Amino acid sequence: MSDTRSVLPYGSWPSPIEADDAARGDALLEWVGFLGDDVCWTEVLPEEDGRSGLMRRTAEGVEEVLPSGWDVRTRVIEYGGRPWLALSGRAADGLVFTHGPDQRLHRWRPGSDPVPLSPPGAWPGELRYADFAVHGDEIWCLRETVADDTARTARRHLVAIPLDGGAAEDPSRVRELAATHHFMTGPRIEPGGDRVAWLGWDHPDMPWDTTRLMVAAVLPDGTLGAPAVRMGGEGEAVTQADWATDGSGTLYAVSDPDGWWNVHAVDRDGGTRSLCPRPEEFGEALWRIGLRWCLPLLDGTLAVIHGVGERRLGILGADGALTDFDDPATEWHFAATDGRRIAAVASSPGRRRTVVLADPADGSVRTVRAPSSEGRSLPSDAPARDADGAAPYARTPAPDAYATTPYRRTYRGDDGEPVHVHVYPPHHPEFTGPDDELPPYLVLAHGGPTSRSHLVLNQEISYFTSRGIGVVDVQYGGSTGYGRAYRERLRHRWGLTDVQDCATAARGLIAEGLADPDRIAIRGGSAGGWTAVASIAAEPGLYRAAAVYYPVLDPVSWREETHDFESRYLDGLIGPWPDTADRYAHQSPLREADRIRTPFVLLQGLDDTVCPPAQAERLLQRIDPDTVPYRCLTFEGEGHGFRRSATVAASLRAELRLYADALGFTPAASSCSPS
């Protein structure tokens, strides 16, 4: 069958996905849980200044659980954590949550307004709470105390807060339970309440380097006995722990003593055994407190999220047999269970983020919150897909028809090391490029850098691919999802390995005849912004443009300017300071910034405590605007990672204008309309 699409130059295809659509098209769905029989989740509301509403589905549609205006979000370690918990299996008992503006712990009962449980801090946000558990008439959780709004100095405790609200006016009623490490997760209380477990780690380690699984007895007076290390230690990172539901006293831990995050059983005597040893990841880097990938169910099985470079949902039996759900989702996030069912946010190359409910009893996966900006609800018996594999109830918006079909690819660097990438080719159902023209490509460097990105339907990527601009998303050395050895490729080589791997990906596409060698750009945020700037300094002949979002650029000053959680991160990425000062000078993107000739756009939130605006300013001080065309857009009220739709849309329009000028194409009318 002949291709009847019209021919237009790459980059100039008219697309229905405008910047405003991309900014609000992918709802940020997080922190799933159960309130009685209802599945609930937090949802960022870009049109309300990025407030996080707690949502649920009813017969009438998706609605907020709490009265209007409450912001269910915690700023613990700046990246946040699990911000809410139902108080029991009965919806009538309500829930507890952290409110974003003041960071106080609140209790809500149906039919009433939330009331504070924790005392106010000396200033709003001094005391932060996350990762809750119920013990008798108290809430046990992690409390973080920060010195000021930069969060450069902080202390952390496990604390007990009475549910009667008495501590809201009397801080002495907050009981401190433990402070074993500088960083900790919240408590996991054994069924029956006899013991409690948590994870801890200290500087200079990050939670994917070394953590320890701590266990303590709960004494009759509600205090804790002497904590003991049950797993973990130097060179081993326990990333999650949860108790078995059967009263056996078994503690399940996701840890990597063999180089992969696998599930282990820890018995009462401290003995451990791997339940399903595989060269796969059953966990992720613990960037946010309270994440879970292994969920004990009431029947003695475990729901697990696992894979290499992707994640599937499966059920792990007592015999070690692992059976995956027959569902096309390749990423599962923010999983929670009521003991029988699993709720999570799921996505795939053909489906945007969706709240789903999986039932091991019949193998079904049903949609709860459809992948649309309207959040339309579905009947309770609506399947996620019909017999033909379609998603009839989700009613995917028309713009998703313009999404490309991405695929995985592995290239080899000059050193022979693999470089894993996700390739998003240009695609439009009505247009194609000329036979004698190759498309421009954007090299995407994800943040972290100890993180990864996901091969899923992404409206922001579709904004570019539907215009005829390809995207290659590089999982450079240091990325998670491929075992500890792949993560360790970046150790002491940040600014080198990541830059080399991005160049390997770009040259791989060029060698295959997929990308125009004269029209390659790079984009990245946070750590990806570091990589983008380092790349245009190191590879001036490869990249013709760069989009840099809220970057870290000067490693020496960043150590003193960033928040507590990451203040020693560079010990692993570059080396201990000042012993390796020569590396800091050599690997900094600013080292040869005055030689940059590649045009770029710099986008920065003015309230960013992770990568403060001073980092971006140091780059601009070294750039001659008469030699290098650049734009710098700053946004008041935005922190690290933009939450407001107007900010995201303005940033995308600025990017497209840059690429059009630097890569030599003319966007369709309205694509680059001024903000």
Side-chain angles (χ1 to χ4, degrees):
M1 184 172 66
S2 63
D3 191 342
T4 58
R5 293 180 295 174
S6 300
V7 176
L8 280 179
Y10 290 106
S12 65
W13 302 346
S15 171
I17 305 173
E18 297 294 348
D20 291 325
D21 301 316
R24 63 175 175 260
D26 273 346
L28 186 53
L29 313 172
E30 301 181 321
W31 302 118
V32 181
F34 289 86
L35 179 62
D37 290 331
D38 289 339
V39 176
C40 301
W41 64 93
T42 62
E43 182 167 335
V44 174
L45 306 171
E47 303 298 338
E48 297 186 36
D49 291 334
R51 179 174 70 86
S52 286
L54 183 63
M55 319 299 285
R56 65 180 167 191
R57 188 197 66 200
T58 70
E60 288 73 35
V62 168
E63 67 175 20
E64 286 203 52
V65 175
L66 303 175
S68 178
W70 290 91
D71 187 358
V72 183
R73 177 161 55 104
T74 175
R75 290 182 58 192
V76 160
I77 68 166
E78 294 305 297
Y79 290 105
R82 184 164 289 277
W84 72 278
L85 176 75
L87 289 175
S88 72
R90 300 188 315 123
D93 291 332
L95 55 89
V96 294
F97 69 97
T98 295
H99 178 49
D102 62 16
Q103 290 295 290
R104 295 176 73 181
L105 180 64
H106 290 72
R107 179 175 184 174
W108 171 80
R109 294 181 176 91
S112 63
D113 289 328
V115 295
L117 296 183
S118 66
W123 51 275
E126 179 201 18
L127 303 174
R128 307 169 177 185
Y129 303 89
D131 207 12
F132 310 107
V134 178
H135 186 268
D137 58 1
E138 294 178 317
I139 290 295
W140 289 16
C141 63
L142 174 68
R143 182 188 68 193
E144 179 179 72
T145 306
V146 297
D148 55 43
D149 59 6
T150 67
R152 293 173 195 162
T153 303
R155 295 176 291 112
R156 295 164 190 87
H157 296 82
L158 299 186
V159 297
I161 301 174
L163 276 166
D164 64 10
E169 302 296 335
D170 181 4
S172 67
R173 293 196 60 193
V174 177
R175 297 192 302 116
E176 294 184 356
L177 299 170
T180 55
H181 296 79
H182 189 58
F183 297 97
M184 296 183 292
T185 65
R188 297 288 179 267
I189 302 172
E190 183 181 15
D194 293 336
R195 292 183 294 168
V196 62
W198 65 92
L199 306 181
W201 67 96
D202 293 307
H203 282 319
D205 289 317
M206 297 298 284
W208 43 86
D209 297 324
T210 293
T211 64
R212 289 171 172 83
L213 171 57
M214 310 300 297
V215 176
V218 180
L219 304 179
D221 63 355
T223 62
L224 301 186
V229 179
R230 290 304 187 190
M231 198 172 186
E234 191 63 33
E236 179 182 346
V238 186
T239 198
Q240 185 208 328
D242 265 293
W243 297 97
T245 59
D246 59 5
S248 64
T250 298
L251 186 58
Y252 296 115
V254 180
S255 192
D256 66 347
D258 299 319
W260 295 87
W261 274 313
N262 282 185
V263 181
H264 298 75
V266 183
D267 62 30
R268 283 187 175 274
D269 298 325
T272 64
R273 58 188 175 90
S274 182
L275 299 183
C276 186
R278 293 187 178 196
E280 294 185 22
E281 302 282 42
F282 287 72
E284 300 273 5
L286 193 61
W287 279 100
R288 304 177 79 179
I289 303 298
L291 289 171
R292 303 171 75 195
W293 304 274
C294 172
L295 308 175
L297 304 180
L298 292 174
D299 64 1
T301 63
L302 298 170
V304 293
I305 296 171
H306 69 103
V308 178
E310 66 174 18
R311 294 293 180 270
R312 302 279 181 175
L313 176 64
I315 300 297
L316 180 60
D319 59 355
L322 179 59
T323 305
D324 286 344
F325 279 79
D326 183 15
D327 185 84
T330 54
E331 297 290 349
W332 296 76
H333 313 277
F334 302 103
T337 184
D338 62 358
R340 298 179 295 106
R341 303 167 298 167
I342 304 101
V345 177
S347 55
S348 73
R351 181 169 64 183
R352 289 188 279 147
R353 288 186 291 260
T354 307
V355 179
V356 299
L357 182 62
D359 191 341
D362 58 12
S364 64
V365 178
R366 302 181 184 277
T367 298
V368 175
R369 198 281 195 202
S372 68
S373 58
E374 294 79 17
R376 57 175 64 88
S377 65
L378 310 177
S380 60
D381 59 349
R385 311 189 81 78
D386 63 20
D388 298 322
Y393 294 100
R395 297 182 183 89
T396 303
D400 283 359
Y402 294 80
T404 189
T405 301
Y407 59 90
R408 302 179 193 277
R409 186 79 167 82
T410 299
Y411 294 109
R412 293 279 173 178
D414 292 340
D415 56 4
E417 292 283 356
V419 180
H420 306 295
V421 306
H422 305 157
V423 181
Y424 293 79
H427 169 76
H428 194 297
E430 300 169 19
F431 296 95
T432 188
D435 291 339
D436 60 351
E437 181 184 347
L438 290 173
Y441 256 84
L442 310 181
V443 175
L444 174 57
H446 64 69
T450 312
S451 184
R452 69 185 180 97
S453 45
H454 309 129
L455 187 75
V456 298
L457 199 158
N458 181 301
Q459 194 85 313
E460 191 169 299
I461 288 178
S462 295
Y463 175 75
F464 295 109
T465 58
S466 63
R467 286 170 166 76
I469 307 166
V471 176
V472 57
D473 191 356
V474 186
Q475 311 303 297
Y476 49 80
S479 300
T480 57
Y482 304 93
R484 181 179 278 263
Y486 197 78
R487 294 203 310 273
E488 294 286 335
R489 284 188 57 218
L490 199 63
R491 187 165 187 81
H492 296 164
R493 288 186 54 81
W494 193 32
L496 301 174
T497 295
D498 49 325
V499 170
Q500 293 165 3
D501 286 0
C502 285
T504 293
R507 292 193 171 101
L509 289 171
I510 293 168
E512 289 187 280
L514 300 175
D516 186 336
D518 295 324
R519 296 198 290 174
I520 303 293
I522 188 167
R523 71 189 300 256
S526 189
W530 159 290
T531 302
V533 174
S535 293
I536 60 177
E539 297 275 2
L542 180 60
Y543 301 107
R544 303 305 170 93
V548 183
Y549 284 76
Y550 34 83
V552 52
L553 296 172
D554 178 12
V556 177
S557 65
W558 186 74
R559 296 179 68 257
E560 302 299 327
E561 293 173 349
T562 194
H563 62 136
D564 181 50
F565 176 62
E566 291 183 273
S567 62
R568 297 292 300 276
Y569 194 6
L570 298 187
D571 284 43
L573 293 175
I574 299 176
W577 177 266
D579 297 348
T580 58
D582 57 332
R583 288 189 206 153
Y584 281 72
H586 176 67
Q587 294 171 219
S588 168
L590 297 183
R591 180 171 67 97
E592 295 184 343
D594 56 348
R595 299 184 180 182
I596 291 175
R597 297 295 181 266
T598 303
F600 64 87
V601 60
L602 181 58
L603 307 124
Q604 178 69 49
L606 295 178
D607 294 348
D608 195 336
T609 58
V610 177
C611 295
Q615 290 286 307
E617 292 165 5
R618 291 189 179 92
L619 172 64
L620 300 183
Q621 290 166 1
R622 300 186 181 213
I623 298 296
D624 181 356
D626 295 329
T627 305
V628 183
Y630 73 82
R631 293 184 68 201
C632 178
L633 279 69
T634 59
F635 302 96
E636 292 187 3
E638 289 284 12
H640 196 65
F642 298 155
R643 297 172 66 89
R644 297 173 177 172
S645 58
T647 304
V648 176
S651 300
L652 289 173
R653 283 191 285 265
E655 273 197 77
L656 188 58
R657 286 196 293 272
L658 167 70
Y659 301 146
D661 293 340
L663 305 183
F665 60 82
T666 302
S670 83
S671 293
C672 292
S673 298
S675 303

